[in-house]
Amino acid sequence: MLTRLAAAVAVLGLLTIAPGPDLAVVVRRAVAAGARDALRTVGGIVTGLLVWGALTAAGLAAVLAASPTAYLTVRLLGAGYLVFLGAQALWQHRRPAPATADQPGTAAGGAWRTGLLSNLLNPKIAVLYTGLLPALAPPGLPAVRGMALLVLVHVCLTLGWLGGCVLLLSRVRHILERPGVHRALGRTTGVVLIGFGVATAAV
């Protein structure tokens, strides 16, 4: 059982650190508004993972993964949201002056909501949870408990990885705040988000 669990942790770890929309969204928030805002985005992302875990346990994620129409709908919504975030980043950094941070009244909720929506609108999580996690579940545990354990492992890995990225970015904040660097990173993350959106729609 421990060997199977270690293998599952390794696989989930590789999937977690692979560059994807979650990392791009977190980097965008870190560049635009700082570490606290980015950490709220991470909180929204892991909340999305917990929601997907609950949907999987209820059998709804399997329905989504098996239904071409439902999968396509979520996929296109997710792609559109990523393109919107990317276009927003490009618009905010269109001028030589550094982009201003989000409005104080909406930064906290906006950051958390951004992370949540970017994760919930990612149908690949449904496929991951319904297709891969059952195969990785440790033997000897009831199916629901095994899935719950792996979802929690995935949440912890995601927190550690994205939180570590935010910490690293906060350490070089003085560099990121330089107008040229700030603008270049903002534009780069915008292009990356649009690229992920296009890729999501095309898959």
Side-chain angles (χ1 to χ4, degrees):
M1 177 176 174
L2 291 179
T3 302
R4 185 73 168 271
L5 181 59
V9 172
V11 172
L12 289 174
L14 290 174
L15 292 173
T16 300
I17 66 176
D22 286 347
L23 180 60
V25 168
V26 169
V27 171
R28 173 184 175 268
R29 300 298 299 202
V31 171
R36 289 185 179 180
D37 199 78
L39 288 175
R40 294 187 183 103
T41 306
V42 174
I45 289 170
V46 298
T47 302
L49 292 177
L50 292 173
V51 171
W52 275 118
L55 291 176
T56 301
L60 297 180
V63 173
L64 173 62
S67 171
T69 301
Y71 184 86
L72 177 63
T73 300
V74 175
R75 193 183 77 196
L76 292 179
L77 286 173
Y81 187 61
L82 291 174
V83 170
F84 166 75
L85 291 177
Q88 186 180 58
L90 291 176
W91 177 258
Q92 290 173 344
H93 296 86
R94 68 192 184 281
R95 296 177 179 176
T100 56
D102 294 322
Q103 295 300 319
T106 61
W112 183 86
R113 186 169 56 250
T114 296
L116 177 66
L117 289 177
S118 68
N119 196 271
L120 288 182
L121 294 176
N122 185 357
K124 293 180 181 178
I125 300 296
V127 176
L128 168 65
Y129 278 16
T130 59
L132 182 61
L133 289 196
L136 296 175
L141 286 178
V144 174
R145 291 185 181 181
M147 288 289 294
L149 175 61
L150 292 183
V151 169
L152 290 177
V153 167
H154 193 203
V155 166
C156 291
L157 290 172
T158 301
L159 276 173
W161 169 245
L162 294 180
C165 290
V166 172
L167 178 61
L168 178 61
L169 289 171
S170 69
R171 294 292 180 87
V172 295
R173 181 70 182 175
H174 62 288
I175 298 176
L176 300 182
E177 288 178 342
R178 295 175 183 174
V181 176
H182 189 276
R183 187 171 63 254
L185 279 175
R187 291 175 176 177
T188 300
T189 54
V191 171
V192 169
L193 283 166
I194 291 174
F196 278 128
V198 172
T200 299
V203 172

